[in-house]
CSV table of all heavy atoms in Angstrom, one decimal:
chain,number,residue,atom,x,y,z
Z,11,MET,N,75.7,123.4,101.5
Z,11,MET,CA,76.1,122.0,101.9
Z,11,MET,C,76.8,121.2,100.8
Z,11,MET,O,77.2,120.1,101.0
Z,11,MET,CB,74.8,121.2,102.2
Z,11,MET,CG,74.3,121.6,103.6
Z,11,MET,SD,75.2,120.8,104.9
Z,11,MET,CE,74.1,121.0,106.3
Z,12,SER,N,76.9,121.9,99.6
Z,12,SER,CA,77.5,121.1,98.5
Z,12,SER,C,79.0,121.5,98.4
Z,12,SER,O,79.6,121.2,97.4
Z,12,SER,CB,76.8,121.5,97.2
Z,12,SER,OG,76.9,122.9,97.0
Z,13,ASP,N,79.5,122.1,99.5
Z,13,ASP,CA,80.9,122.5,99.4
Z,13,ASP,C,81.8,121.3,99.3
Z,13,ASP,O,82.8,121.4,98.5
Z,13,ASP,CB,81.2,123.2,100.8
Z,13,ASP,CG,82.1,124.4,100.5
Z,13,ASP,OD1,82.3,124.8,99.4
Z,13,ASP,OD2,82.5,125.0,101.5
Z,14,GLU,N,81.5,120.3,99.9
Z,14,GLU,CA,82.4,119.1,99.8
Z,14,GLU,C,82.5,118.5,98.4
Z,14,GLU,O,83.5,118.0,98.0
Z,14,GLU,CB,81.9,118.0,100.8
Z,14,GLU,CG,82.4,118.3,102.2
Z,14,GLU,CD,81.9,117.3,103.2
Z,14,GLU,OE1,81.7,116.1,102.8
Z,14,GLU,OE2,81.6,117.6,104.4
Z,15,ASN,N,81.4,118.6,97.7
Z,15,ASN,CA,81.3,118.0,96.4
Z,15,ASN,C,82.1,118.8,95.4
Z,15,ASN,O,82.6,118.2,94.4
Z,15,ASN,CB,79.9,117.8,96.0
Z,15,ASN,CG,79.2,116.7,96.7
Z,15,ASN,OD1,79.9,115.8,97.2
Z,15,ASN,ND2,77.9,116.7,96.9
Z,16,THR,N,82.2,120.1,95.6
Z,16,THR,CA,82.8,120.9,94.6
Z,16,THR,C,84.3,121.0,94.8
Z,16,THR,O,85.1,121.4,93.9
Z,16,THR,CB,82.2,122.3,94.6
Z,16,THR,OG1,82.3,122.8,95.9
Z,16,THR,CG2,80.8,122.3,94.1
Z,17,LYS,N,84.7,120.7,95.9
Z,17,LYS,CA,86.2,120.7,96.2
Z,17,LYS,C,86.9,119.6,95.6
Z,17,LYS,O,86.4,118.5,95.6
Z,17,LYS,CB,86.4,120.7,97.8
Z,17,LYS,CG,86.6,122.0,98.4
Z,17,LYS,CD,87.0,121.9,99.8
Z,17,LYS,CE,86.7,123.1,100.6
Z,17,LYS,NZ,86.9,122.8,102.0
Z,18,PRO,N,88.1,119.8,95.1
Z,18,PRO,CA,88.9,118.7,94.7
Z,18,PRO,C,89.4,117.9,95.8
Z,18,PRO,O,89.5,118.4,96.9
Z,18,PRO,CB,90.1,119.4,94.0
Z,18,PRO,CG,90.1,120.8,94.6
Z,18,PRO,CD,88.7,121.1,94.9
Z,19,ALA,N,89.6,116.6,95.6
Z,19,ALA,CA,90.0,115.7,96.6
Z,19,ALA,C,91.5,116.0,97.1
Z,19,ALA,O,92.3,115.1,96.9
Z,19,ALA,CB,89.8,114.3,96.2
Z,20,ALA,N,91.7,117.1,97.7
Z,20,ALA,CA,93.1,117.4,98.1
Z,20,ALA,C,93.4,116.7,99.4
Z,20,ALA,O,94.6,116.5,99.7
Z,20,ALA,CB,93.2,118.9,98.2
Z,21,ASN,N,92.4,116.5,100.1
Z,21,ASN,CA,92.7,115.9,101.5
Z,21,ASN,C,92.7,114.4,101.5
Z,21,ASN,O,93.0,113.8,102.5
Z,21,ASN,CB,91.6,116.4,102.4
Z,21,ASN,CG,92.2,117.5,103.4
Z,21,ASN,OD1,93.4,117.7,103.4
Z,21,ASN,ND2,91.3,118.1,104.1
Z,22,VAL,N,92.4,113.8,100.4
Z,22,VAL,CA,92.3,112.4,100.3
Z,22,VAL,C,93.7,111.8,100.2
Z,22,VAL,O,94.6,112.3,99.5
Z,22,VAL,CB,91.5,111.9,99.1
Z,22,VAL,CG1,91.5,110.4,99.0
Z,22,VAL,CG2,90.1,112.4,99.3
Z,23,ALA,N,94.0,110.7,100.9
Z,23,ALA,CA,95.3,110.1,100.8
Z,23,ALA,C,95.5,109.5,99.4
Z,23,ALA,O,94.6,109.1,98.7
Z,23,ALA,CB,95.3,108.9,101.8
Z,24,PRO,N,96.8,109.6,99.0
Z,24,PRO,CA,97.1,109.1,97.7
Z,24,PRO,C,96.8,107.6,97.6
Z,24,PRO,O,96.8,106.9,98.6
Z,24,PRO,CB,98.6,109.3,97.6
Z,24,PRO,CG,99.1,109.6,99.0
Z,24,PRO,CD,97.9,110.2,99.7
Z,25,LEU,N,96.7,107.1,96.4
Z,25,LEU,CA,96.4,105.7,96.2
Z,25,LEU,C,97.5,104.8,96.7
Z,25,LEU,O,97.2,103.7,97.3
Z,25,LEU,CB,96.2,105.4,94.7
Z,25,LEU,CG,94.9,105.9,94.1
Z,25,LEU,CD1,94.8,105.5,92.7
Z,25,LEU,CD2,93.7,105.2,94.9
Z,26,ARG,N,98.7,105.2,96.6
Z,26,ARG,CA,99.8,104.4,97.0
Z,26,ARG,C,100.0,104.6,98.5
Z,26,ARG,O,100.7,105.5,98.9
Z,26,ARG,CB,101.1,104.8,96.3
Z,26,ARG,CG,101.1,104.3,94.9
Z,26,ARG,CD,102.4,104.4,94.3
Z,26,ARG,NE,102.4,105.2,93.0
Z,26,ARG,CZ,103.3,106.0,92.6
Z,26,ARG,NH1,104.4,106.2,93.3
Z,26,ARG,NH2,103.2,106.6,91.5
Z,27,LYS,N,99.3,103.8,99.3
Z,27,LYS,CA,99.5,103.9,100.7
Z,27,LYS,C,100.7,103.2,101.2
Z,27,LYS,O,101.0,102.1,100.7
Z,27,LYS,CB,98.3,103.3,101.4
Z,27,LYS,CG,97.3,104.4,101.9
Z,27,LYS,CD,96.6,103.9,103.1
Z,27,LYS,CE,95.2,103.5,102.8
Z,27,LYS,NZ,94.4,102.9,103.9
Z,28,ALA,N,101.4,103.7,102.2
Z,28,ALA,CA,102.5,103.1,102.7
Z,28,ALA,C,102.1,102.0,103.7
Z,28,ALA,O,101.8,102.2,104.8
Z,28,ALA,CB,103.4,104.0,103.4
Z,29,VAL,N,102.0,100.8,103.2
Z,29,VAL,CA,101.6,99.7,104.0
Z,29,VAL,C,102.8,98.8,104.3
Z,29,VAL,O,103.6,98.5,103.4
Z,29,VAL,CB,100.5,98.8,103.3
Z,29,VAL,CG1,100.1,97.6,104.1
Z,29,VAL,CG2,99.3,99.7,102.9
Z,30,SER,N,102.9,98.5,105.6
Z,30,SER,CA,104.0,97.6,105.9
Z,30,SER,C,103.6,96.2,106.0
Z,30,SER,O,102.5,95.8,106.4
Z,30,SER,CB,104.6,98.0,107.3
Z,30,SER,OG,103.6,98.3,108.2
Z,31,CYS,N,104.5,95.3,105.6
Z,31,CYS,CA,104.3,93.9,105.6
Z,31,CYS,C,103.9,93.4,107.0
Z,31,CYS,O,104.6,93.7,108.0
Z,31,CYS,CB,105.6,93.2,105.1
Z,31,CYS,SG,105.5,91.4,105.2
Z,32,PRO,N,102.8,92.7,107.1
Z,32,PRO,CA,102.3,92.3,108.4
Z,32,PRO,C,103.2,91.2,109.0
Z,32,PRO,O,103.2,90.9,110.2
Z,32,PRO,CB,100.9,91.7,108.1
Z,32,PRO,CG,100.9,91.4,106.7
Z,32,PRO,CD,101.8,92.4,106.0
Z,33,ILE,N,104.1,90.7,108.2
Z,33,ILE,CA,105.0,89.6,108.7
Z,33,ILE,C,106.3,90.2,109.2
Z,33,ILE,O,106.7,89.9,110.3
Z,33,ILE,CB,105.3,88.6,107.5
Z,33,ILE,CG1,104.0,88.0,107.0
Z,33,ILE,CG2,106.2,87.5,108.1
Z,33,ILE,CD1,103.2,87.3,108.0
Z,34,CYS,N,106.9,91.0,108.4
Z,34,CYS,CA,108.3,91.5,108.8
Z,34,CYS,C,108.3,93.0,109.0
Z,34,CYS,O,109.3,93.6,109.3
Z,34,CYS,CB,109.3,91.0,107.8
Z,34,CYS,SG,109.1,91.8,106.2
Z,35,LYS,N,107.2,93.6,108.7
Z,35,LYS,CA,107.0,95.1,108.9
Z,35,LYS,C,107.8,95.9,107.9
Z,35,LYS,O,108.0,97.1,108.1
Z,35,LYS,CB,107.5,95.5,110.3
Z,35,LYS,CG,106.8,94.7,111.4
Z,35,LYS,CD,105.3,94.9,111.4
Z,35,LYS,CE,104.6,94.1,112.5
Z,35,LYS,NZ,103.2,94.0,112.3
Z,36,ARG,N,108.3,95.3,106.9
Z,36,ARG,CA,109.0,96.1,105.9
Z,36,ARG,C,107.9,96.7,104.9
Z,36,ARG,O,106.8,96.2,104.9
Z,36,ARG,CB,109.9,95.2,105.1
Z,36,ARG,CG,111.2,94.8,105.8
Z,36,ARG,CD,112.0,93.9,104.9
Z,36,ARG,NE,113.2,93.5,105.6
Z,36,ARG,CZ,114.0,92.6,105.0
Z,36,ARG,NH1,113.8,92.1,103.8
Z,36,ARG,NH2,115.1,92.2,105.7
Z,37,PRO,N,108.3,97.7,104.2
Z,37,PRO,CA,107.4,98.2,103.2
Z,37,PRO,C,106.9,97.2,102.2
Z,37,PRO,O,107.7,96.4,101.7
Z,37,PRO,CB,108.2,99.3,102.5
Z,37,PRO,CG,109.3,99.6,103.4
Z,37,PRO,CD,109.6,98.4,104.3
Z,38,SER,N,105.7,97.1,102.0
Z,38,SER,CA,105.1,96.1,101.2
Z,38,SER,C,105.4,96.4,99.7
Z,38,SER,O,105.5,97.6,99.3
Z,38,SER,CB,103.6,95.9,101.4
Z,38,SER,OG,103.0,97.1,101.0
Z,39,ALA,N,105.4,95.4,98.9
Z,39,ALA,CA,105.6,95.5,97.5
Z,39,ALA,C,104.3,95.4,96.8
Z,39,ALA,O,103.4,94.7,97.2
Z,39,ALA,CB,106.6,94.4,97.0
Z,40,ARG,N,104.2,96.2,95.7
Z,40,ARG,CA,102.9,96.2,95.0
Z,40,ARG,C,102.5,94.8,94.5
Z,40,ARG,O,101.3,94.4,94.6
Z,40,ARG,CB,103.0,97.1,93.8
Z,40,ARG,CG,101.9,98.2,93.8
Z,40,ARG,CD,102.2,99.2,92.7
Z,40,ARG,NE,101.1,99.2,91.8
Z,40,ARG,CZ,101.2,99.7,90.5
Z,40,ARG,NH1,102.3,100.3,90.2
Z,40,ARG,NH2,100.2,99.7,89.7
Z,41,GLU,N,103.5,94.1,94.0
Z,41,GLU,CA,103.1,92.8,93.5
Z,41,GLU,C,102.7,91.8,94.5
Z,41,GLU,O,102.0,90.8,94.2
Z,41,GLU,CB,104.4,92.2,92.8
Z,41,GLU,CG,105.0,93.1,91.8
Z,41,GLU,CD,106.2,93.8,92.5
Z,41,GLU,OE1,105.9,94.8,93.2
Z,41,GLU,OE2,107.3,93.5,92.3
Z,42,HIS,N,103.1,92.0,95.8
Z,42,HIS,CA,102.8,91.1,96.8
Z,42,HIS,C,101.9,91.6,97.9
Z,42,HIS,O,101.8,91.1,99.0
Z,42,HIS,CB,104.1,90.6,97.4
Z,42,HIS,CG,105.1,90.0,96.4
Z,42,HIS,ND1,104.9,88.9,95.7
Z,42,HIS,CD2,106.3,90.5,96.0
Z,42,HIS,CE1,105.9,88.7,94.9
Z,42,HIS,NE2,106.7,89.7,95.1
Z,43,TYR,N,101.3,92.8,97.6
Z,43,TYR,CA,100.5,93.4,98.5
Z,43,TYR,C,99.5,92.5,99.3
Z,43,TYR,O,99.0,91.6,98.6
Z,43,TYR,CB,99.6,94.5,97.8
Z,43,TYR,CG,98.7,95.3,98.7
Z,43,TYR,CD1,99.2,96.5,99.3
Z,43,TYR,CD2,97.5,94.8,99.0
Z,43,TYR,CE1,98.4,97.2,100.1
Z,43,TYR,CE2,96.6,95.6,99.8
Z,43,TYR,CZ,97.1,96.8,100.4
Z,43,TYR,OH,96.3,97.5,101.2
Z,44,PRO,N,99.4,92.6,100.6
Z,44,PRO,CA,100.0,93.6,101.4
Z,44,PRO,C,101.4,93.2,102.0
Z,44,PRO,O,101.8,93.8,102.9
Z,44,PRO,CB,99.0,93.8,102.5
Z,44,PRO,CG,98.4,92.4,102.7
Z,44,PRO,CD,98.5,91.8,101.4
Z,45,PHE,N,102.0,92.2,101.4
Z,45,PHE,CA,103.2,91.7,101.9
Z,45,PHE,C,104.4,92.3,101.1
Z,45,PHE,O,104.2,92.9,100.1
Z,45,PHE,CB,103.2,90.2,101.9
Z,45,PHE,CG,102.1,89.6,102.6
Z,45,PHE,CD1,101.0,89.1,101.8
Z,45,PHE,CD2,102.0,89.5,103.9
Z,45,PHE,CE1,99.9,88.5,102.5
Z,45,PHE,CE2,100.9,89.0,104.6
Z,45,PHE,CZ,99.9,88.5,103.9
Z,46,CYS,N,105.6,92.0,101.6
Z,46,CYS,CA,106.8,92.6,101.0
Z,46,CYS,C,107.3,91.7,99.9
Z,46,CYS,O,108.0,92.0,99.0
Z,46,CYS,CB,107.8,93.0,102.0
Z,46,CYS,SG,108.6,91.5,102.7
Z,47,SER,N,107.0,90.4,100.1
Z,47,SER,CA,107.6,89.4,99.1
Z,47,SER,C,106.7,88.2,99.1
Z,47,SER,O,105.8,88.0,100.0
Z,47,SER,CB,109.0,89.1,99.6
Z,47,SER,OG,108.9,88.4,100.8
Z,48,ASN,N,107.0,87.3,98.2
Z,48,ASN,CA,106.3,86.1,98.1
Z,48,ASN,C,106.5,85.2,99.3
Z,48,ASN,O,105.6,84.5,99.8
Z,48,ASN,CB,106.8,85.3,96.9
Z,48,ASN,CG,105.6,84.9,96.0
Z,48,ASN,OD1,104.5,84.8,96.4
Z,48,ASN,ND2,105.9,84.7,94.7
Z,49,ARG,N,107.6,85.3,99.9
Z,49,ARG,CA,108.0,84.5,101.1
Z,49,ARG,C,107.0,84.9,102.3
Z,49,ARG,O,106.5,84.0,102.9
Z,49,ARG,CB,109.4,84.8,101.4
Z,49,ARG,CG,109.9,83.9,102.5
Z,49,ARG,CD,111.3,84.2,102.9
Z,49,ARG,NE,111.7,83.6,104.2
Z,49,ARG,CZ,111.5,84.3,105.3
Z,49,ARG,NH1,110.9,85.5,105.3
Z,49,ARG,NH2,111.8,83.7,106.4
Z,50,CYS,N,106.9,86.2,102.5
Z,50,CYS,CA,106.1,86.6,103.6
Z,50,CYS,C,104.6,86.2,103.4
Z,50,CYS,O,103.9,85.9,104.3
Z,50,CYS,CB,106.2,88.1,103.8
Z,50,CYS,SG,107.7,88.5,104.7
Z,51,ARG,N,104.2,86.3,102.1
Z,51,ARG,CA,102.8,85.9,101.8
Z,51,ARG,C,102.6,84.4,102.1
Z,51,ARG,O,101.6,84.0,102.6
Z,51,ARG,CB,102.5,86.2,100.3
Z,51,ARG,CG,101.1,86.2,100.0
Z,51,ARG,CD,100.8,86.5,98.6
Z,51,ARG,NE,101.4,85.5,97.7
Z,51,ARG,CZ,101.3,85.5,96.4
Z,51,ARG,NH1,100.6,86.4,95.8
Z,51,ARG,NH2,101.8,84.5,95.7
Z,52,ASP,N,103.7,83.7,101.8
Z,52,ASP,CA,103.6,82.3,102.1
Z,52,ASP,C,103.6,82.0,103.6
Z,52,ASP,O,102.9,81.1,104.0
Z,52,ASP,CB,104.9,81.6,101.5
Z,52,ASP,CG,104.5,80.4,100.6
Z,52,ASP,OD1,103.7,80.6,99.8
Z,52,ASP,OD2,105.1,79.4,100.9
Z,53,VAL,N,104.4,82.7,104.3
Z,53,VAL,CA,104.4,82.5,105.8
Z,53,VAL,C,103.0,82.8,106.3
Z,53,VAL,O,102.5,82.0,107.2
Z,53,VAL,CB,105.4,83.5,106.4
Z,53,VAL,CG1,105.3,83.5,107.9
Z,53,VAL,CG2,106.8,83.1,106.0
Z,54,ASP,N,102.4,83.9,105.9
Z,54,ASP,CA,101.1,84.2,106.4
Z,54,ASP,C,100.1,83.1,106.0
Z,54,ASP,O,99.3,82.7,106.9
Z,54,ASP,CB,100.7,85.5,105.8
Z,54,ASP,CG,99.4,86.0,106.5
Z,54,ASP,OD1,99.5,86.4,107.7
Z,54,ASP,OD2,98.3,86.0,105.8
Z,55,LEU,N,100.2,82.7,104.8
Z,55,LEU,CA,99.2,81.6,104.4
Z,55,LEU,C,99.4,80.4,105.2
Z,55,LEU,O,98.4,79.7,105.6
Z,55,LEU,CB,99.5,81.3,102.9
Z,55,LEU,CG,98.6,80.3,102.3
Z,55,LEU,CD1,97.2,80.9,102.2
Z,55,LEU,CD2,99.0,79.9,100.9
Z,56,ASN,N,100.7,80.0,105.4
Z,56,ASN,CA,100.9,78.8,106.2
Z,56,ASN,C,100.4,78.9,107.6
Z,56,ASN,O,99.9,78.0,108.2
Z,56,ASN,CB,102.4,78.5,106.3
Z,56,ASN,CG,102.9,77.8,105.0
Z,56,ASN,OD1,102.2,76.9,104.6
Z,56,ASN,ND2,104.0,78.1,104.5
Z,57,ARG,N,100.5,80.1,108.2
Z,57,ARG,CA,100.0,80.3,109.5
Z,57,ARG,C,98.5,80.1,109.6
Z,57,ARG,O,98.0,79.4,110.5
Z,57,ARG,CB,100.2,81.8,109.9
Z,57,ARG,CG,101.7,82.0,110.3
Z,57,ARG,CD,101.9,83.4,110.7
Z,57,ARG,NE,103.2,83.7,111.1
Z,57,ARG,CZ,103.7,84.8,111.5
Z,57,ARG,NH1,102.9,85.9,111.4
Z,57,ARG,NH2,104.9,85.0,111.9
Z,58,TRP,N,97.8,80.5,108.6
Z,58,TRP,CA,96.4,80.3,108.6
Z,58,TRP,C,96.0,78.9,108.3
Z,58,TRP,O,95.1,78.3,108.9
Z,58,TRP,CB,95.7,81.2,107.5
Z,58,TRP,CG,95.7,82.6,107.9
Z,58,TRP,CD1,96.4,83.7,107.4
Z,58,TRP,CD2,94.9,83.2,109.0
Z,58,TRP,NE1,96.1,84.8,108.0
Z,58,TRP,CE2,95.2,84.6,109.0
Z,58,TRP,CE3,94.0,82.7,109.9
Z,58,TRP,CZ2,94.6,85.5,109.9
Z,58,TRP,CZ3,93.4,83.6,110.9
Z,58,TRP,CH2,93.8,84.9,110.8
Z,59,LEU,N,96.8,78.3,107.5
Z,59,LEU,CA,96.5,76.9,107.1
Z,59,LEU,C,96.8,75.9,108.3
Z,59,LEU,O,96.1,75.0,108.5
Z,59,LEU,CB,97.4,76.4,105.9
Z,59,LEU,CG,96.9,77.0,104.6
Z,59,LEU,CD1,97.8,76.5,103.5
Z,59,LEU,CD2,95.5,76.6,104.3
Z,60,SER,N,97.8,76.3,109.1
Z,60,SER,CA,98.1,75.4,110.2
Z,60,SER,C,97.2,75.7,111.4
Z,60,SER,O,97.3,75.1,112.4
Z,60,SER,CB,99.6,75.6,110.6
Z,60,SER,OG,99.8,76.9,110.9
Z,61,GLY,N,96.4,76.7,111.3
Z,61,GLY,CA,95.4,77.0,112.3
Z,61,GLY,C,96.0,77.8,113.5
Z,61,GLY,O,95.3,78.0,114.5
Z,62,SER,N,97.2,78.1,113.5
Z,62,SER,CA,97.8,78.9,114.6
Z,62,SER,C,98.7,79.9,114.1
Z,62,SER,O,99.2,79.9,113.0
Z,62,SER,CB,98.5,77.9,115.5
Z,62,SER,OG,99.8,77.6,115.0
Z,63,TYR,N,99.0,80.9,114.9
Z,63,TYR,CA,99.9,81.9,114.5
Z,63,TYR,C,101.3,81.7,115.1
Z,63,TYR,O,102.0,82.6,115.4
Z,63,TYR,CB,99.3,83.3,114.9
Z,63,TYR,CG,99.0,84.1,113.7
Z,63,TYR,CD1,98.1,83.7,112.8
Z,63,TYR,CD2,99.7,85.3,113.5
Z,63,TYR,CE1,97.8,84.4,111.7
Z,63,TYR,CE2,99.4,86.1,112.3
Z,63,TYR,CZ,98.5,85.6,111.4
Z,63,TYR,OH,98.2,86.4,110.3
Z,64,ALA,N,101.6,80.5,115.4
Z,64,ALA,CA,102.9,80.2,116.0
Z,64,ALA,C,103.6,79.2,115.2
Z,64,ALA,O,103.9,78.1,115.6
Z,64,ALA,CB,102.7,79.7,117.4
Z,65,ILE,N,104.0,79.6,114.0
Z,65,ILE,CA,104.7,78.7,113.1
Z,65,ILE,C,106.2,78.9,113.4
Z,65,ILE,O,106.7,80.0,113.6
Z,65,ILE,CB,104.4,79.0,111.6
Z,65,ILE,CG1,104.6,77.7,110.8
Z,65,ILE,CG2,105.2,80.1,111.1
Z,65,ILE,CD1,104.1,77.9,109.4
Z,66,PRO,N,107.0,77.9,113.4
Z,66,PRO,CA,108.4,78.0,113.6
Z,66,PRO,C,109.1,78.7,112.5
Z,66,PRO,O,109.0,78.3,111.3
Z,66,PRO,CB,108.9,76.5,113.7
Z,66,PRO,CG,107.8,75.7,113.1
Z,66,PRO,CD,106.5,76.5,113.3
Z,67,VAL,N,109.8,79.8,112.9
Z,67,VAL,CA,110.5,80.5,111.9
Z,67,VAL,C,112.0,80.5,112.3
Z,67,VAL,O,112.3,80.3,113.5
Z,67,VAL,CB,110.0,82.0,111.8
Z,67,VAL,CG1,110.6,82.7,110.6
Z,67,VAL,CG2,108.5,81.9,111.7
Z,68,ALA,N,112.9,80.8,111.4
Z,68,ALA,CA,114.3,80.8,111.7
Z,68,ALA,C,114.6,81.8,112.8
Z,68,ALA,O,115.4,81.5,113.7
Z,68,ALA,CB,115.1,81.2,110.5
Z,69,ASP,N,113.9,82.9,112.9
Z,69,ASP,CA,114.1,83.9,113.9
Z,69,ASP,C,113.8,83.4,115.3
Z,69,ASP,O,114.3,83.9,116.2
Z,69,ASP,CB,113.3,85.2,113.6
Z,69,ASP,CG,114.2,86.1,112.8
Z,69,ASP,OD1,115.3,85.8,112.6
Z,69,ASP,OD2,113.7,87.2,112.5
Z,70,ASP,N,112.9,82.5,115.4
Z,70,ASP,CA,112.4,82.1,116.7
Z,70,ASP,C,113.4,81.4,117.5
Z,70,ASP,O,113.4,81.4,118.7
Z,70,ASP,CB,111.2,81.2,116.5
Z,70,ASP,CG,109.9,82.0,116.3
Z,70,ASP,OD1,110.0,83.3,116.2
Z,70,ASP,OD2,108.8,81.5,116.2
Z,71,GLU,N,114.4,80.8,116.8
Z,71,GLU,CA,115.3,80.0,117.6
Z,71,GLU,C,116.1,80.9,118.5
Z,71,GLU,O,116.5,80.6,119.6
Z,71,GLU,CB,116.3,79.4,116.6
Z,71,GLU,CG,115.6,78.2,115.9
Z,71,GLU,CD,116.6,77.5,115.0
Z,71,GLU,OE1,117.7,77.2,115.5
Z,71,GLU,OE2,116.3,77.2,113.9
Z,72,ARG,N,116.4,82.1,118.1
Z,72,ARG,CA,117.1,83.0,118.9
Z,72,ARG,C,116.3,83.5,120.1
Z,72,ARG,O,116.8,83.9,121.1
Z,72,ARG,CB,117.6,84.3,118.1
Z,72,ARG,CG,118.6,83.9,117.1
Z,72,ARG,CD,119.2,85.1,116.4
Z,72,ARG,NE,120.6,85.2,116.5
Z,72,ARG,CZ,121.3,86.3,116.4
Z,72,ARG,NH1,120.7,87.4,116.2
Z,72,ARG,NH2,122.6,86.3,116.5
Z,73,LYS,N,115.0,83.7,119.9
Z,73,LYS,CA,114.2,84.2,120.9
Z,73,LYS,C,113.7,83.1,121.9
Z,73,LYS,O,113.0,83.4,122.8
Z,73,LYS,CB,113.0,84.9,120.3
Z,73,LYS,CG,113.3,86.2,119.6
Z,73,LYS,CD,112.0,86.9,119.2
Z,73,LYS,CE,112.4,88.3,118.6
Z,73,LYS,NZ,111.2,88.9,118.2
Z,74,ALA,N,114.1,81.9,121.7
Z,74,ALA,CA,113.6,80.8,122.5
Z,74,ALA,C,113.9,81.0,124.0
Z,74,ALA,O,113.1,80.6,124.8
Z,74,ALA,CB,114.2,79.5,122.0
Z,75,ASP,N,115.0,81.7,124.2
Z,75,ASP,CA,115.3,81.9,125.6
Z,75,ASP,C,114.7,83.1,126.3
Z,75,ASP,O,114.6,83.1,127.5
Z,75,ASP,CB,116.9,82.1,125.7
Z,75,ASP,CG,117.6,80.7,125.6
Z,75,ASP,OD1,117.0,79.7,126.0
Z,75,ASP,OD2,118.7,80.7,125.1
Z,76,GLU,N,114.2,83.9,125.5
Z,76,GLU,CA,113.6,85.1,126.0
Z,76,GLU,C,112.1,84.9,126.4
Z,76,GLU,O,111.4,84.1,125.8
Z,76,GLU,CB,113.6,86.3,125.0
Z,76,GLU,CG,115.0,86.7,124.7
Z,76,GLU,CD,115.0,87.8,123.7
Z,76,GLU,OE1,114.2,88.8,123.9
Z,76,GLU,OE2,115.7,87.8,122.7
Z,77,ASP,N,111.7,85.5,127.5
Z,77,ASP,CA,110.3,85.4,127.9
Z,77,ASP,C,109.5,86.5,127.3
Z,77,ASP,O,109.1,87.4,127.9
Z,77,ASP,CB,110.2,85.5,129.4
Z,77,ASP,CG,110.7,84.2,130.1
Z,77,ASP,OD1,110.4,83.1,129.5
Z,77,ASP,OD2,111.3,84.3,131.2
Z,78,GLU,N,109.2,86.2,126.0
Z,78,GLU,CA,108.4,87.3,125.3
Z,78,GLU,C,107.0,86.7,125.1
Z,78,GLU,O,106.8,85.7,124.5
Z,78,GLU,CB,109.1,87.5,124.0
Z,78,GLU,CG,108.7,88.9,123.5
Z,78,GLU,CD,109.5,89.2,122.2
Z,78,GLU,OE1,109.9,88.3,121.5
Z,78,GLU,OE2,109.7,90.4,122.0
Z,79,ILE,N,106.1,87.4,125.7
Z,79,ILE,CA,104.7,87.0,125.6
Z,79,ILE,C,103.9,88.0,124.7
Z,79,ILE,O,104.0,89.1,125.0
Z,79,ILE,CB,104.0,86.9,127.0
Z,79,ILE,CG1,104.8,85.9,127.8
Z,79,ILE,CG2,102.6,86.4,126.8
Z,79,ILE,CD1,104.3,85.7,129.2
K,25,ZN,ZN1,107.6,90.8,104.7
C-alpha cells in the first residue's frame, strides 16, 4: 500500500497551471494571478464592490442589440 508514497510525483500537474483570466479569458499573468492584467483585476474588484456582475464595459455597447442572456 506504500506504492504511492515511493513513486515520484510524475502524475502531478506542474506548478505553473494554465489559468485563464476570468474576465477576458486570456492566459493569466503571474503578477496578476488569476487575472491577465491589473485592469482585469480591477474590473473584477469593481464588480464585487458594486454588488452586481453587470458593470458597463466598453464591449457591452456593441452587444446591446443582441439578445444574449
Ligand atoms: Zn484579462
Side-chain angles (χ1 to χ4, degrees):
M11 282 282 196
S12 61
D13 221 6
E14 279 180 29
N15 285 337
T16 53
K17 261 191 202 169
N21 255 351
V22 175
L25 281 180
R26 286 190 235 150
K27 258 211 257 174
V29 179
S30 45
C31 173
I33 304 299
C34 68
K35 307 300 180 194
R36 284 181 184 174
S38 67
R40 230 171 120 200
E41 310 96 280
H42 307 292
Y43 181 91
F45 305 101
C46 71
S47 65
N48 233 335
R49 188 181 160 275
C50 280
R51 197 179 62 176
D52 229 51
V53 170
D54 189 70
L55 182 69
N56 275 322
R57 283 179 177 179
W58 287 111
L59 286 181
S60 60
S62 80
Y63 244 63
I65 207 172
V67 193
D69 264 359
D70 277 4
E71 285 185 48
R72 291 187 124 200
K73 287 187 173 181
D75 282 331
E76 294 180 46
D77 283 325
E78 204 173 27
I79 301 180

